[in-house]
Every structure is written in C-alpha cells, then in structure tokens.
Amino acid sequence: MSETEQNQTIIDSHPTEWDEADFRRNWSQFLQMLVGENENALPLKRIQYQVEQSPIYKEVLVRWSGLSGAERLGAWKRLLQAAEEVSREVLPACVQCGTCCRKGSPSLQLEDLELLQTGRIPWNQLVTLRRGEPVQSPFDRKPFFLLDERIKIRERADSQECVFFNADTCLCAIYADRPVQCRAQACWDPAPAQDLAKQPYLTRRDIFKNVDLLLEIIVEHDKRCSFRKLNDAFDRLIETKGETVGEVLEILSYEEHFRNFIGEKLKVPSGQVELVFGRSLTDLVPLFGFRVIEEPDGSRCLVPETA
C-alpha cells in the first residue's frame, strides 16, 4: 500500500466524526499499518513513543474533543505526516520500549564471562544451545543450524521474552550488568549488533575450563546425544511411516538418563543442568511436530502436536 493509499484509507474512516476513543483506536491502527509498511522494521512502540512525545500529538489529543470537523481532519493529516517522518528519521536513542527484550534473550560473548564469575548473572538462568541445533537469526528471523554452541540467558516459557525483562515496566532486572549483546542492540541501527556477532561467543569450555572431568563428560554427551541423531531418527520415522518410533523414544530415554545420572553423580544443581548439557532432546521434539506424553504405567509415547 502506497503512502497516498494508506492516508486515504484512514481519511475514508471519517475522522471528522470520531470521539476521543475513536481517535485513539484509529491512531493505533494507523501505526500498525505504518510499521507493517516500514522497510527498516522499526518497532511499533518505538515509533509510537517518539511521535507521542511530540508537541503536535499532545496538542491534538488535548484539543480533539473541542475541534470542528475541518480542524480534526487537518490535525489528523498533520499527525500522519509526523508519524511518517519519525519512521524515516528515528532518533538514535533507546526509549525502553522493550521490543528487543521481547524478541529473545541475548547470547553471551566471551567478554561476558566476568559477569558469570562474579555472580552478576546467575548460572541457573543460562542455557546452552548446542552445535547443530536449529535457531533463528536475531537479525532477519530466518532459521539456521548452529555451527558452534551458544550460551544464552533463558527465555520465559511459551515466549521469547528474556527472563530478566519486566513486561509491566519495560525494565531489565540486570540492566547495569547486562551482557554486551544487550548493550549493542539498537533498533535504529543494527550494525553494532551485527559486528558483535563476529566476535567470539562464550562456550562451556570457557566456563568450565578448570574442570577437566566435566568437560570430558560434556564432549561424550555431545557425541552420544547430538541433535543430529534425533533429526536422523525423525527422518527415518517419516520414511518408515511410523514404524521406527521406538528408535526415537530410545534416543530420548537414553539422553534423559545420561543427563540425570551424571547430574546426580556430579551434584550439578538442577537449575544448571541445561547449562551443562543444553536443552534436553525431549524438549526439542515439538520442532518435529510431535510431543512426548507419559502413560499411567510410566511408559512414554510419541504423538503429533495437534493430537
């Protein structure tokens, strides 16, 4: 939709007849349309915050109910122009809209190791994404397979929000000690974050470099319980039309036993198991369109996600 067509769509909604509630609703709809057409993908809240801090918006909002029909139409057009100018010339400053934190948690760089060693980032809020696992690019949201591992801050269940982000206040619980990736985030300029992605990422070998036995066990776990083995098992499951479901369940059972048994032997705190061994293969099963359910007798079976 062109700028002219977009403006016409809003004007055809008769702003001359809107009350204040109608004005707010149509303003919100317009911003959503503007963001949808915006090639640089600036967050909705980013544009909204900047426009609504302008004198023109505050004046229009205060005076709207007392404006004549012609005055409302003129004021509305000025607001549309202001919003479009903001989308092209956004201020180079964070407005704490929280969009970056809602899109995902940061991966840690080698520079962040001190934050862990000094306890400023708790170890139980970390998870390892292992080599070969599928992830989404933080820049274009396209999926790819990791060529090397990442240590990430956890995300909230059933969302991509960082666990340290407060959705009500849009504030970060560890802002003063946030990782370098968070510091490099800038919705108006992706270049700093893209440059940082070329720098060394933190790995379990960096964290546990003085614990040789644990590193040996991690290597063995990665060899025996890799994501590729699970992926290959699901490929065979499709090829055999479900006849090899036992192979998938055996891989899941072995991996779960491995992490639980070794975790208990080495007294790994439960909150740090996903840092040491990464996400469990069972938790990754939904990526293939399935889920694991446990029967009353303790046995487990694989069912389609939609079942």
Side-chain angles (χ1 to χ4, degrees), residues 121-122 125 153-154 156 162-166 171-174:
I121 293 181
Q125 297 299 343
I153 288 179
R154 290 184 185 273
R156 298 192 187 282
C162 176
V163 293
F164 294 118
F165 175 68
N166 186 319
L171 297 178
C172 172
I174 58 168

Side-chain angles (χ1 to χ4, degrees), residues 27-43:
W27 172 244
S28 177
Q29 291 175 352
F30 169 75
L31 289 178
Q32 292 177 22
M33 293 169 60
L34 181 63
V35 170
E37 294 293 320
N38 197 321
E39 294 182 357
N40 58 11
L42 285 170

Side-chain angles (χ1 to χ4, degrees), residues 260-268:
N260 290 341
F261 179 78
I262 299 298
E264 290 177 4
K265 287 293 184 182
L266 297 183
K267 294 182 171 53
V268 177

Side-chain angles (χ1 to χ4, degrees), residues 167-182:
D168 294 328
T169 63
C170 284
L171 297 178
C172 172
I174 58 168
Y175 187 78
D177 298 311
R178 63 197 186 281
V180 292
Q181 188 181 94
C182 299

